[in-house]
């Protein structure tokens, strides 16, 4: 790789000199501009791998430059330098398409991390393009589907992977929100660093601070050694906060500070430590409604929801059903060391008419159970054991138009799935949350078609 070029835009000579020296020590070639006009002229005459711009310039502001670069140089990462505490400005820059931001006074370690990440986006890829004829094999751990809703989702993910902006992933239970977060991480400059998922609803409130930020030996009873928290585990990578709406209010305050200051303080530690993580979050709940109801802090909501990404339900992409079913059955066959089962026409037709309140996760459960129960290589309709009256008169029918019996089953499924997710799959704990015995929960899982063999 040849020498990489960085454009620095700041009207303060001292800051320009500091940035030039710092980047020069990173073996980067720098060009400087003191105004929007000078910057635009250099962008037209030279080729750059990264742009660093101050927010306040004599003839404009950094947002204007971010928007100009997005329009005329969309492959050029641009980071903004903001005044200390100007989080609203930083968020506005991220929404406009900035790769990331750094606050004044500029912390040189943070700056070097930012520059290194951004330059990975400009580096030529060493990975050959995917062969679409081998898509099923290549996408084993990625996103399957070519329905219009999925093509749109994949296009948005590719754009979001080029940014460090926090993304809030909204979608129904079982729709694949964690898979989407993994894909944003995989396609971005942090791909070689850890992806750390955490179910916020599964951590006891009294242990949350220690789990997120770590603790020092002796900081509380039982703290017999130093412990690394989730932020440290994700250092340089991505922290995915699933079911973020379940965070108690006291933890929301601490999380907000960690995100804004890019620093954490382990329990019992004397001082904060810097962290470099990208935050992705998700919930099946509507966070705006949670804010309105006083259950979620508005300031944290705005920091997490810089960009909102909606994951389509399976009902919105039924065109992908045959491919998804083949993929799931193939994966089961590989796991069991057997030839893959296939669906009879009647079974395939019944699957196509089902409304999938539990989305792809429910489809996986249905097919795993059916593959276990079927006698031969072909899965028949009766092997699917879909809930009674599950077929929709119209393939595009939504749960809101179902019969009373189906609506009640839909609601019951959602409540049970949420309890299981909050208990990390522990049935006994989920049953306690629901006020049921484990046996009663098992009966309901079988009746609703959620039982895994």
């Amino acid at each position: 790789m040849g020498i990489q070029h960085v454009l620095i835009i700041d009207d303060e000579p001292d800051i320009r000199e500091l940035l030039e020296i710092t980047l020069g020590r990173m073996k980067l070639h720098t060009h400087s501009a003191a105004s929007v006009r000078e910057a635009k002229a250099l962008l037209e005459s030279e080729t750059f791998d990264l742009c660093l711009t101050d927010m306040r310039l004599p003839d404009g502001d950094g947002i204007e430059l971010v928007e100009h670069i997005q329009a005329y140089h969309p492959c050029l990462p641009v980071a903004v330098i903001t005044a200390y505490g100007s989080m609203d400005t930083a968020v506005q820059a991220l929404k406009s398409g900035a790769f990331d931001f750094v606050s004044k006074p500029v912390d040189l370690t943070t700056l070097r991390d930012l520059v290194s990440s951004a330059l990975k986006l400009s580096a030529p890829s060493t990975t050959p393009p995917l062969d679409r004829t081998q898509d099923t094999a290549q996408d084993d751990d990625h996103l399957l589907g070519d329905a219009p809703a999925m093509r749109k989702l994949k296009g948005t993910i590719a754009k979001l992977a080029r940014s460090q902006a926090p993304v809030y992933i909204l979608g129904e239970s079982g729709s694949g929100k964690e898979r989407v977060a993994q894909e944003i991480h995989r396609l971005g400059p942090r791909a070689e660093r850890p992806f750390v998922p955490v179910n916020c609803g599964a951590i006891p409130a009294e242990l949350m601070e220690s789990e997120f930020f770590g603790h020092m030996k002796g900081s509380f009873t039982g703290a017999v050694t130093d412990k690394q928290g989730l932020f440290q585990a994700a250092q340089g990578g991505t922290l995915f906060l699933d079911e973020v709406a379940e965070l108690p209010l006291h933890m929301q305050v601490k999380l907000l500070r960690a995100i804004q200051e890019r620093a954490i303080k382990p329990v019992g530690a004397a001082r904060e430590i810097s962290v470099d993580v990208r935050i992705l979050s998700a919930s099946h709940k509507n966070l705006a409604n949670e804010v309105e109801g006083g259950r979620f802090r508005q300031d944290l909501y705005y920091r997490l929801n810089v960009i909102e990404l909606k994951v389509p339900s399976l009902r919105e992409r039924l065109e992908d059903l045959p491919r998804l079913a083949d993929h799931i059955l193939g994966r089961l066959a590989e796991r069991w060391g057997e030839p893959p089962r296939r669906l009879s026409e009647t079974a395939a037709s019944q699957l196509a008419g089902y409304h999938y309140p539990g989305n792809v996760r429910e489809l996986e459960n249905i097919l795993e159970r059916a593959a276990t129960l079927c006698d031969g290589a072909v899965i028949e309709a009766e092997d699917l054991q879909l809930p009674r009256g599950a077929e929709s008169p119209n393939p595009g029918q939504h749960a809101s138009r179902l019969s009373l019996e189906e609506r009640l089953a839909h609601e019951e499924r959602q409540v049970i799935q949420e309890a299981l997710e909050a208990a990390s799959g522990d049935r006994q704990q989920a049953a306690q949350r629901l006020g049921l015995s484990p046996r009663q929960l098992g009966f309901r899982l079988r009746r609703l078609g959620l039982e895994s063999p």
Side-chain angles (χ1 to χ4, degrees):
M1 185 191 303
I3 293 176
Q4 292 178 293
H5 296 255
V6 180
L7 174 59
I8 297 168
I9 309 151
D10 200 302
D11 62 334
E12 295 183 47
D14 289 350
I15 299 234
R16 286 202 306 271
E17 185 178 5
L18 172 66
L19 296 175
E20 287 167 356
I21 292 170
T22 303
L23 300 187
R25 287 173 177 164
M26 296 175 71
K27 310 298 183 190
L28 301 172
H29 189 76
T30 60
H31 300 250
S32 293
S35 67
V36 172
R37 182 180 56 81
E38 287 180 27
K40 287 181 178 179
L42 279 169
L43 285 165
E44 289 304 314
S45 62
E46 305 286 343
T47 300
F48 296 101
D49 300 288
L50 171 63
C51 175
L52 284 173
T53 179
D54 191 23
M55 285 300 295
R56 292 186 177 183
L57 296 163
D59 56 344
D61 61 26
I63 299 292
E64 178 188 343
L65 265 176
V66 170
E67 292 171 346
H68 175 84
I69 289 170
Q70 281 289 297
Y72 297 100
H73 311 276
C75 292
L76 173 61
V78 52
V80 298
I81 303 167
T82 66
Y84 176 76
S86 301
M87 289 309 302
D88 289 345
T89 305
V91 168
Q92 186 184 354
L94 292 171
K95 283 182 180 288
S96 299
F99 169 79
D100 206 347
F101 71 93
V102 62
S103 298
K104 293 180 180 178
V106 177
D107 179 83
L108 296 185
T109 300
T110 301
L111 175 67
R112 283 191 287 267
D113 288 342
L114 182 156
V115 169
S116 296
S117 292
L119 290 175
K120 289 178 185 175
L121 294 175
S122 299
S125 174
T126 56
T127 307
L130 285 181
D131 180 354
R132 298 298 299 176
T133 62
Q134 299 177 1
D135 225 14
T136 302
Q138 294 282 2
D139 276 354
D140 193 33
D141 292 320
H142 310 319
L143 294 175
L144 283 175
D146 288 311
M150 284 303 289
R151 287 202 298 270
K152 181 180 178 183
L153 177 67
K154 290 177 182 180
T156 304
I157 286 171
K159 292 178 183 176
L160 295 181
R162 295 184 57 82
S163 165
Q164 296 302 293
V167 179
Y168 172 61
I169 304 168
L170 178 64
E172 295 179 8
S173 291
S175 57
K177 297 186 290 295
E178 182 172 339
R179 186 64 59 84
V180 167
Q182 287 174 328
E183 193 71 351
I184 293 172
H185 172 78
R186 183 183 75 86
L187 295 176
R190 296 175 179 268
E192 295 176 4
R193 304 297 298 164
F195 174 85
V196 178
V198 53
N199 185 331
C200 297
I203 304 174
E206 63 274 13
L207 296 179
M208 273 196 173
E209 190 173 356
S210 171
E211 287 294 314
F212 274 92
F213 308 134
H215 64 245
M216 308 303 289
K217 178 180 178 181
S219 55
F220 55 84
T221 303
V224 294
T225 60
D226 291 350
K227 179 189 174 183
Q228 186 182 66
L230 294 164
F231 270 84
Q232 294 105 310
Q235 178 67 16
T238 302
L239 181 60
F240 173 54
L241 305 175
D242 197 9
E243 298 303 345
V244 71
E246 303 303 321
L247 285 174
L249 287 168
H250 80 276
M251 193 61 202
Q252 292 176 28
V253 177
K254 294 180 183 295
L255 177 61
L256 175 65
R257 176 172 175 78
I259 293 171
Q260 291 192 160
E261 301 299 326
R262 300 191 183 192
I264 60 166
K265 188 176 181 183
V267 178
R271 53 178 172 267
E272 290 185 330
I273 57 174
S274 296
V275 288
D276 170 31
V277 299
R278 184 180 189 183
I279 301 289
L280 305 178
S281 59
S283 176
H284 72 280
K285 293 182 179 179
N286 186 312
L287 267 193
N289 291 345
E290 296 298 298
V291 170
E292 195 172 322
R295 295 177 295 275
F296 202 85
R297 291 181 62 97
Q298 187 175 55
D299 45 9
L300 179 57
Y301 170 68
Y302 285 128
R303 285 299 292 122
L304 294 175
N305 192 28
V306 173
I307 298 171
E308 184 173 284
L309 180 61
K310 173 77 166 60
V311 180
S313 67
L314 186 50
R315 295 185 301 279
E316 297 172 86
R317 57 183 191 108
L318 286 175
E319 305 99 307
D320 292 332
L321 192 60
R323 184 176 175 192
L324 284 168
D326 285 346
H327 175 74
I328 292 166
L329 291 173
R331 197 172 55 197
L332 288 171
E334 188 177 328
R335 188 197 309 165
W336 296 342
E338 299 174 0
R341 270 73 163 172
R342 62 181 179 83
L343 294 164
S344 70
E345 286 188 20
T346 310
S349 176
Q350 199 172 100
L351 281 179
Y354 185 50
H355 52 271
Y356 298 100
N359 291 290
V360 178
R361 187 185 300 131
E362 185 179 8
L363 174 65
E364 290 173 340
N365 289 339
I366 289 168
L367 291 175
E368 185 169 355
R369 181 181 61 244
T372 303
L373 295 175
C374 75
D375 291 328
V378 179
I379 295 173
E380 301 293 347
E382 56 267 25
D383 298 321
L384 297 174
Q385 294 189 359
L386 295 179
R388 205 161 41 121
E391 298 84 358
S392 301
N394 302 308
Q397 183 182 32
H398 285 237
S400 59
R401 297 175 57 191
L402 302 174
S403 69
L404 176 61
E405 182 182 348
E406 289 173 307
R407 286 192 196 184
L408 291 173
H410 170 68
E411 294 294 331
E412 189 176 0
R413 271 192 200 88
Q414 282 197 317
V415 170
I416 289 175
Q417 286 174 329
E418 288 166 21
L420 284 166
E421 288 175 5
S424 298
D426 185 320
R427 286 196 185 180
Q428 188 160 354
Q429 189 180 340
Q432 287 176 344
R433 285 173 177 264
L434 294 166
L436 301 172
S437 70
R439 187 173 179 180
Q440 287 172 320
L441 177 58
F443 170 79
R444 288 170 185 260
L445 288 170
R446 288 190 295 275
R447 177 168 58 78
L448 294 168
L450 298 175
E451 175 76 85
S452 294

